[in-house]
Amino acid sequence: MSEGPAAAVREAGQRLASGTMEDKRNIQIIEWEHLDKKKFYVLGVAMTMMIRVSVYPFTLIRTRLQVQKGKSLYQGTFDAFVKILRADGVTGLYRGFLVNTFTLISGQCYVTTYELTRKFVADYSQSNTVKSLVAGGSASLVAQSITVPIDVVSQHLMMQRKGEKTSRFQVRGCPEGQRVVAFGQTKDIIRQILRADGLRGFYRGYVASLLTYIPNSAVWWPFYHFYAEQFSHLCPKECPHIVLQAIAGPLAAATASVLTNPMDVIRTRVQVEGKTSIILTFRQLMAEEGPWGLMKGLSARIISATPSTIVIVVGYESLKKLSLRPELVDSRHW
């Protein structure tokens, strides 16, 4: 008789301890309404700029690998890195970078759309997977509408090589090592695109970009939260959540990259080579290089995505933590 109440007390204590552990294990997502918006935007721009500086060389290498025919110029990511460095120096790895910085605008539009869409979807579904999927796809749609014209110009600048024509458009004065100021090259490329294709030329590959980045973004967010939650249950409760998120981010990026790389190859060729049909580009690629052609640039993409995703995840989650409204700071377990 006396054992019954004692056992009940012990069981209740165990449940309470288990519940506390579970609460600490669960990774709490900071939502839009929890943020100080002024801090969020100011710190966000600075963080995004630092990330772009660190990963841009790999973006340039990936673009060149995807556009080249077979292995006519580069044998792989490392070979491309060495050859570009040898031919053009460090500045060669940053061709088109100044133009690409304008995508900071699209980056801020992306995070705003993502967070607001999560808030909107929350009125209809409490599933984090559904919120992440819809918000990620919507954010990418908005961002790509701003990014594609910048990408088109930036990619043509990335393809400039001394003395060789590797793009539809060639910067005048680029051969023989003649230096041209960065925005002078940009104006030259813009004029040539306008002359050849009109305003539509700046949205070449827009549909292919949507077919690449909307699925990529829609897939990344659910996988990111999924991997983070799995790690939170496998690791000790004392393990900082930011560490688990830093591991989950690259895994989600690698997963999304493998699933969407075929469309990324096609998108890049449509934009750089001036093609008008996604289907014809796909058929030509298959005829010339077979199914493996769809995986071109995948290693460069994953290599660039891994460090950049770690920086993005750590930066973004830290940014949200730093941007928390003061009254909520102590209520979060990190």
Side-chain angles (χ1 to χ4, degrees):
M1 290 285 292
S2 60
E3 183 64 24
V9 171
R10 283 198 302 271
E11 186 178 344
Q14 288 169 354
R15 283 200 304 270
L16 181 60
S18 175
T20 303
M21 183 183 297
E22 188 67 23
D23 289 341
K24 287 188 176 181
R25 284 181 186 276
N26 287 338
I27 295 179
Q28 297 166 301
I29 298 172
I30 300 173
E31 301 290 3
W32 182 251
E33 58 270 21
H34 303 151
L35 299 172
D36 177 329
K37 310 304 186 295
K38 184 178 179 181
K39 280 185 183 178
F40 182 71
Y41 283 116
V42 172
L43 295 173
V45 170
M47 181 198 74
T48 304
M49 189 64 180
M50 287 189 292
I51 292 169
R52 291 187 185 280
V53 170
S54 64
V55 305
Y56 189 82
F58 290 102
T59 303
L60 181 143
I61 290 169
R62 186 191 76 204
T63 299
R64 291 197 178 185
L65 288 174
Q66 289 177 339
V67 172
Q68 73 171 348
K69 303 294 184 184
K71 294 186 176 180
S72 55
L73 295 173
Y74 310 113
Q75 297 301 308
T77 302
F78 183 72
D79 183 55
F81 176 81
V82 171
K83 286 181 177 176
I84 293 169
L85 204 59
R86 189 177 297 149
D88 303 322
V90 174
T91 56
L93 295 169
Y94 283 90
R95 286 192 183 278
F97 177 73
L98 289 178
V99 177
N100 194 261
T101 58
F102 286 104
T103 57
L104 286 170
I105 300 168
S106 69
Q108 296 309 302
C109 290
Y110 179 95
V111 295
T112 302
T113 304
Y114 177 78
E115 297 294 345
L116 287 175
T117 304
R118 278 186 65 91
K119 183 179 178 182
F120 175 77
V121 175
D123 294 335
Y124 301 92
S125 173
Q126 290 304 308
S127 168
N128 187 51
T129 300
V130 172
K131 288 190 286 186
S132 300
L133 187 73
V134 176
S138 301
S140 187
L141 173 62
V142 171
Q144 285 307 304
S145 299
I146 301 169
T147 300
V148 167
I150 300 170
D151 262 355
V152 168
V153 176
S154 179
Q155 285 173 342
H156 282 296
L157 288 169
M158 287 180 190
M159 294 304 298
Q160 302 302 312
R161 298 181 77 242
K162 292 180 180 180
E164 295 184 39
K165 186 175 177 63
T166 55
S167 169
R168 288 175 68 213
F169 308 115
Q170 191 75 8
V171 173
R172 294 179 181 84
C174 182
E176 304 303 328
Q178 184 179 344
R179 286 188 171 275
V180 182
V181 293
F183 282 112
Q185 295 181 353
T186 301
K187 289 177 184 176
D188 200 3
I189 290 292
I190 289 173
R191 287 195 200 99
Q192 291 180 57
I193 293 172
L194 277 171
R195 194 177 301 121
D197 303 323
L199 289 174
R200 289 176 58 188
F202 294 101
Y203 274 90
R204 188 176 291 280
Y206 178 63
V207 173
S209 290
L210 294 183
L211 292 175
T212 301
Y213 290 114
I214 289 179
N216 187 82
S217 182
V219 166
W220 187 87
W221 284 102
F223 271 109
Y224 165 61
H225 290 302
F226 170 76
Y227 288 136
E229 282 299 324
Q230 297 308 305
F231 286 131
S232 73
H233 295 306
L234 293 172
C235 295
K237 67 179 185 296
E238 292 81 10
C239 185
H241 289 171
I242 198 73
V243 174
L244 305 180
Q245 291 165 326
I247 299 170
L251 285 175
T255 303
S257 294
V258 171
L259 293 174
T260 61
N261 199 73
M263 274 308 307
D264 192 37
V265 175
I266 293 169
R267 173 193 67 85
T268 304
R269 290 204 170 195
V270 166
Q271 289 179 335
V272 174
E273 296 181 355
K275 299 182 183 295
T276 56
S277 170
I278 293 173
I279 295 173
L280 289 178
T281 303
F282 171 74
R283 288 176 178 170
Q284 182 183 359
L285 181 63
M286 291 294 287
E288 290 177 353
E289 305 186 43
W292 284 110
L294 296 171
M295 291 294 112
K296 292 182 73 170
L298 179 60
S299 62
R301 190 177 178 188
I302 292 176
I303 288 170
S304 66
T306 298
S308 65
T309 305
I310 292 173
V311 174
I312 289 170
V313 167
V314 172
Y316 189 63
E317 296 295 348
S318 299
L319 168 66
K320 291 174 80 173
K321 181 183 176 183
L322 292 170
S323 303
L324 264 176
R325 298 198 334 252
E327 65 271 21
L328 297 176
V329 172
D330 294 332
S331 67
R332 294 294 187 271
H333 172 69
W334 307 103

